[in-house]
């Protein structure tokens, strides 16, 4: 036993002190540890900041390469830096994990630039994770190319989340199949409506609101925003980047109510400005005509029209004041029987001058 422990300690020390940058993974593909050369190569503060923290769930290895690893094949990649991944076997030829080693480690400017970029990527991922993990916000990316290349049997990671997610989406894997089971049936919009809207109409951005079902069976409202990226020569985006924000249903209804109220106010002001201009135009017009009119009968008619429009204008102002009192909940209602004929005649007299010829 002591000899075995000593051998394990020696192998462990050899791995950590090896000049070649390396990483070890368990048989599920989850990262176990990095050696000092790998941490130094990418200026990492934590092993989980390494861009490949899971061999079967990352943005570097594609689905085909992951399948080869599962079959025991060695996979060699050239980007973002040259590296290889191979299976580690036990004495009885069973898989016990995987190793990843950087290749062609040199002092060239390209190597240094690639290591710098990888380090910056790891730092950005760490900062984003810290910013998103406690909030109601999730960031996401969606690749049309990966989605179209998916074999519908193995997840091609076309849709990736960062931050808070809906757990029923199985950590966002196979979302194209899971979405229909967690989306509220009454909602006509969803992620893919947003993606296709931006893609087909070449929009710089768009946002939609819909509901997703949580673990307790209740639906929560989400506002999803997307922006196109990786545009081709025709301006069609190949990637959608965006955010998912959990919204309060009550706040959303209040926001919609406020928008509707603002629209009603705008419409009301437009109508009132028109209604006020009508009697004013009549007053100004017949006042000018009255000055030059010598016929007593015509002058009497002009004066009556001016008085009538003065009364109409005064009623409009009183109505506005009355509406202000209603809005302030200060109105006092006084109910009484009235005779409609004079009211209808007054409405007719105000409208008849604006009716086109041939209209009754």
């Amino acid at each position: 036993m002591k000899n075995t422990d000593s051998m394990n300690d020696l192998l462990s020390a050899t791995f950590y002190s090896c000049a070649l940058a390396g990483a070890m993974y368990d048989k599920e593909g989850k990262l176990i540890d990095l050696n000092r050369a790998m941490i130094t190569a990418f200026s990492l503060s934590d092993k989980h900041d390494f861009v490949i923290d899971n061999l079967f769930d990352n943005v570097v290895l594609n689905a085909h390469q992951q399948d080869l690893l599962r079959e025991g094949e060695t996979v060699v990649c050239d980007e973002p830096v040259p590296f290889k991944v191979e299976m580690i076997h036990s004495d009885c030829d069973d898989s016990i994990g995987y190793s990843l080693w950087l290749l062609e480690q040199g002092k060239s400017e390209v190597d240094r630039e690639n290591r710098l970029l990888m380090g910056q990527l790891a730092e950005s991922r760490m900062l984003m994770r810290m910013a998103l993990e406690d909030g109601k916000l999730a960031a996401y990316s969606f690749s049309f190319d990966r989605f179209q290349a998916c074999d519908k049997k193995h997840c091609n990671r076309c849709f990736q989340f960062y931050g808070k997610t809906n757990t029923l989406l199985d950590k966002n894997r196979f979302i194209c199949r899971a979405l229909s089971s967690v989306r509220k049936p009454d909602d006509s919009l969803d992620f893919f409506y947003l993606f296709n809207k931006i893609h087909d109409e070449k929009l710089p951005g768009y946002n939609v609101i819909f509901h997703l079902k949580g673990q307790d069976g209740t639906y929560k409202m989400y506002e999803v925003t997307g922006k196109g990226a990786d545009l081709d020569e025709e301006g069609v985006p190949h990637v959608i980047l965006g955010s998912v924000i959990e919204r309060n249903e009550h706040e959303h209804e209040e926001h919609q109510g406020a928008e509707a109220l603002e629209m009603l106010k705008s419409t009301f002001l437009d109508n009132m400005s028109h209604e006020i201009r009508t009697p004013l135009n009549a007053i100004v017009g017949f006042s000018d005509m009255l000055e030059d009119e010598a016929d007593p009968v015509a002058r009497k008619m002009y004066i009556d029209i001016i008085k009538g429009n003065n009364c109409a204008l005064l009623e409009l102002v009183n109505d506005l004041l009355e509406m202000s009192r209603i809005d302030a909940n200060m109105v006092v209602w006084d109910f009484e029987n009235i005779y409609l004929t004079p009211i209808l005649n007054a409405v007719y007299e105000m409208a008849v001058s604006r009716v086109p010829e041939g209209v009754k």
Side-chain angles (χ1 to χ4, degrees):
M1 180 65 70
K2 288 183 179 180
N3 289 336
T4 302
D5 291 341
S6 299
M7 182 62 69
N8 289 335
D9 292 341
L10 178 60
L11 292 174
S12 177
T14 301
F15 168 71
Y16 286 112
S17 62
C18 180
L20 194 63
M24 290 295 174
Y25 300 82
D26 63 19
K27 61 182 180 181
E28 301 298 328
K30 297 178 181 179
L31 179 65
I32 297 175
D33 212 347
L34 308 173
N35 65 10
R36 285 191 289 272
M38 184 70 83
I39 293 174
T40 301
F42 295 117
S43 303
L44 303 174
S45 58
D46 185 270
K47 68 178 182 180
H48 295 294
D49 295 331
F50 187 51
V51 67
I52 306 179
D53 56 356
N54 190 315
L55 292 175
F56 304 113
D57 184 9
N58 62 80
V59 297
V60 178
L61 297 171
N62 59 39
H64 176 66
Q65 291 169 326
Q66 294 173 12
D67 288 340
L68 290 177
L69 281 178
R70 292 188 180 96
E71 295 169 3
E73 300 289 335
T74 297
V75 172
V76 178
C77 294
D78 295 323
E79 295 181 351
V81 293
F83 68 92
K84 73 172 181 177
V85 187
E86 56 189 353
M87 185 178 288
I88 304 173
H89 297 275
S90 64
D91 292 338
C92 54
D93 206 31
D94 291 330
S95 171
I96 60 173
Y98 300 86
S99 65
L100 183 153
W101 299 96
L102 296 192
L103 304 175
E104 302 177 7
Q105 286 181 263
K107 299 295 183 179
S108 70
E109 191 65 29
V110 174
D111 287 338
R112 286 197 296 273
E113 183 178 352
N114 284 335
R115 286 196 292 272
L116 177 61
L117 291 175
M118 289 286 283
Q120 291 175 343
L121 174 61
E123 181 181 357
S124 298
R125 291 185 63 188
M126 178 183 67
L127 292 174
M128 183 171 65
R129 185 170 64 245
M130 292 171 60
L132 298 179
E133 62 187 3
D134 295 326
K136 292 186 176 182
L137 171 70
Y140 72 86
S141 65
F142 175 81
S143 169
F144 282 98
D145 296 338
R146 289 193 176 195
F147 179 74
Q148 293 169 355
C150 181
D151 61 6
K152 310 306 179 187
K153 295 180 181 179
H154 305 92
C155 183
N156 205 25
R157 304 302 296 164
C158 59
F159 201 155
Q160 299 189 64
F161 275 88
Y162 310 92
K164 186 173 181 179
T165 63
N166 189 309
T167 54
L168 284 183
L169 298 181
D170 189 25
K171 295 183 179 179
N172 314 301
R173 283 173 155 253
F174 308 108
I175 188 173
C176 51
R177 282 179 273 175
L179 185 59
S180 59
S181 64
V182 294
R183 186 188 63 187
K184 194 173 184 179
D186 296 340
D187 288 348
S188 59
L189 309 181
D190 60 18
F191 287 108
F192 289 100
Y193 173 87
L194 173 71
F195 301 155
N196 291 327
K197 183 79 173 176
I198 296 174
H199 180 272
D200 297 342
E201 300 183 20
K202 303 177 185 178
L203 301 177
Y206 199 71
N207 69 292
V208 296
I209 293 178
F210 56 91
H211 300 75
L212 292 177
K213 183 166 60 177
Q215 287 180 307
D216 58 357
T218 62
Y219 289 97
K220 291 185 178 181
M221 176 183 291
Y222 296 90
E223 180 179 354
V224 183
T225 300
K227 292 184 178 296
D230 190 16
L231 307 181
D232 62 18
E233 294 179 355
E234 298 180 355
V236 177
H238 287 257
V239 174
I240 305 294
L241 304 175
S243 63
V244 182
I245 306 174
E246 184 179 325
R247 291 298 189 190
N248 183 284
E249 195 89 31
H250 181 64
E251 290 178 354
H252 178 64
E253 291 175 356
E254 287 185 346
H255 179 68
Q256 286 185 318
E259 287 184 340
L261 180 61
E262 191 65 29
M263 186 177 296
L264 285 174
K265 285 182 178 180
S266 177
T267 303
F268 170 74
L269 290 174
D270 289 341
N271 291 335
M272 286 307 302
S273 64
H274 175 74
E275 293 299 325
I276 289 174
R277 281 196 302 268
T278 299
L280 278 176
N281 288 336
I283 293 170
V284 172
F286 283 103
S287 295
D288 292 338
M289 294 171 64
L290 182 63
E291 184 178 5
D292 300 326
E293 184 59 59
D295 184 5
V297 177
R299 286 177 65 85
K300 176 68 168 60
M301 182 181 67
Y302 294 165
I303 291 172
D304 290 340
I305 293 174
I306 292 172
K307 287 181 178 179
N309 280 280
N310 280 334
C311 292
L313 187 59
L314 181 60
E315 287 180 4
L316 278 173
V317 174
N318 288 334
D319 288 343
L320 281 173
L321 295 174
E322 192 70 17
M323 291 188 69
S324 298
R325 287 193 288 271
I326 292 173
D327 193 44
N329 203 23
M330 297 172 59
V331 68
V332 177
W333 298 102
D334 185 16
F335 297 96
E336 60 176 306
N337 294 323
I338 60 171
Y339 187 51
L340 282 177
T341 301
I343 296 176
L344 296 176
N345 286 335
V347 171
Y348 171 78
E349 291 298 333
M350 283 192 298
V352 69
S353 63
R354 288 180 285 167
V355 176
E357 186 178 352
V359 176
K360 295 182 179 180

